[in-house]
Amino acid sequence: MSSAVQAGAQNMQASGKYQAWVVGLLSLNFGILFFDRNALNFLMPFVQPDLQLSNTQVGMFSSALSLTWALSGLAVGRISDRLGSRKPVIVVATIAFCLCSVVSGLATSFFMLLGARLLMGAAEGGVMPVSHSLIVSEVAPERRGMAMGVAQNLGSNLLGSGLAPILLVPVAAAYGWREGFYLAAAPGLITAALIWFTLREPPVTAHDDGGPKVTLREAFAHRNVLLCALIAILLVSYLVVCWAFMPLFLTKGRGFDPDTMSWLMATLGISAGLGSFVVPAISDAVGRRPVMIFFAFLGVILPLGGLFYSGSTLVLAAIFFFGWGLNGLFPMFMATIPAESVDPRLTATLTGVVMGTGEVLGGVLAPFLAGTLADRFGIAAPLWLMLVLTILAGLCALGLVESAPRVVARRSAPAIV
């Protein structure tokens, strides 16, 4: 049966149907991955008092996962590029992070839960770089920006940020937070099977026809790649700090009940889910640079709204919705812009390096810093940190060189006299 399905997939290679299936399935898989990753953040109001955790320890969970996520992304992306193997890497990693979610539910102490997060990061880190590489091989260049946006942001935010709090918080309230982790583990096994039986390895010529024309050192000499790495540090920090501390801020600092917190956090997932294809699609048409600048600076309204807006929760949800629109930038600075600026065959390597840089210097250090600040200055301190991070990201985006193929071609076309 496996060979028959794979043969059918090969026949669909040139069609939009197969391209859409590749992007949709990888997006669903990454969404389940983020459901697992974010589960602890939404369950933390239940986990923290049960395990008697400090805010610093809460930040350490995000830091630990980001560290091993980054190291895994760096290693797996390069290995995948060299071996030309995509599908087995994604399948094995998917099964592994499902098992880590189960281990998280079994944790009875800070150190046991910390170990589970370290293992989960190692399992998950290589999935997105390899997925982006597969998309570059299968999807037409003119749709690359939107395809990468959908793969990285649509499923991850609809499931990991949108559905997760709505589903997990009631489960934790009714049955306990451990059952929430067990629930998060199951769906990944289904997507792992679908990837194995319905996707094919791209043709060898798509990623190995004499080796990359640009070395990794030369790639990082390009202004766009360096700036994208800096933006990754800042915006990964913004995201992980928000995920780790916004649920606690809303319940402890603002006094919202867990149900209100859950749907306010779900607003972020809906925003990012729409932004996953809207923001990259806009950038395909008008350019990467102006979109990067606008949405990075737009991110200031989320922490400011959380800190100072005291009116209707519906209006606060709208502030959250628009402020979280910067999530649509992630596939652009992590994969699309670097791939368009240098040899596209370095996509998995560059995505792993840029993502890894952001996770190590942003995802590892920022939650620990935010937790320390929260213990010293109060639970609002992480939101002030988010404000500074998104402003700095917008300033970095000002230095980008335009790379969108349609825009570059339009600018280089000779003027008609």
Side-chain angles (χ1 to χ4, degrees), residues 91 167-168 176 186 209 217 219 259 324 330 350 353 370 378 381 404:
V91 170
L167 190 60
L168 293 174
D209 56 357
R217 177 179 295 181
D259 285 340
W324 202 244
F330 271 65
L350 284 177
V353 170

Side-chain angles (χ1 to χ4, degrees), residues 261-399:
M261 176 275 289
S262 69
W263 70 260
L264 280 172
M265 293 301 295
T267 302
L268 304 183
I270 297 170
S271 169
L274 292 173
S276 67
F277 57 89
V278 172
V279 174
I282 294 173
S283 78
D284 282 340
V286 306
R288 314 292 187 213
R289 182 175 179 271
V291 172
M292 288 286 301
I293 295 169
F294 175 79
F295 281 95
F297 283 123
L298 184 64
V300 303
I301 69 173
L302 195 158
L304 288 176
L307 287 165
F308 298 114
Y309 182 76
S310 57
S312 167
T313 53
L314 292 177
V315 176
L316 182 60
I319 294 172
F320 276 33
F321 179 89
F322 288 105
W324 202 244
L326 59 71
N327 222 278
L329 302 179
F330 271 65
M332 292 168 53
F333 64 74
M334 282 188 171
T336 308
I337 295 175
E340 290 171 342
S341 302
V342 297
D343 194 326
R345 287 171 294 179
L346 280 170
T347 299
T349 299
L350 284 177
T351 303
V353 170
V354 173
M355 184 182 296
T357 302
E359 290 282 358
V360 170
L361 298 180
V364 174
L365 299 179
F368 180 78
L369 174 61
T372 302
L373 292 174
D375 279 335
R376 183 169 182 179
F377 299 107
I379 197 62
L383 275 71
W384 287 105
L385 179 59
M386 290 172 58
L387 180 65
V388 173
L389 291 167
T390 192
I391 291 173
L392 292 176
L395 294 174
C396 287
L398 291 170

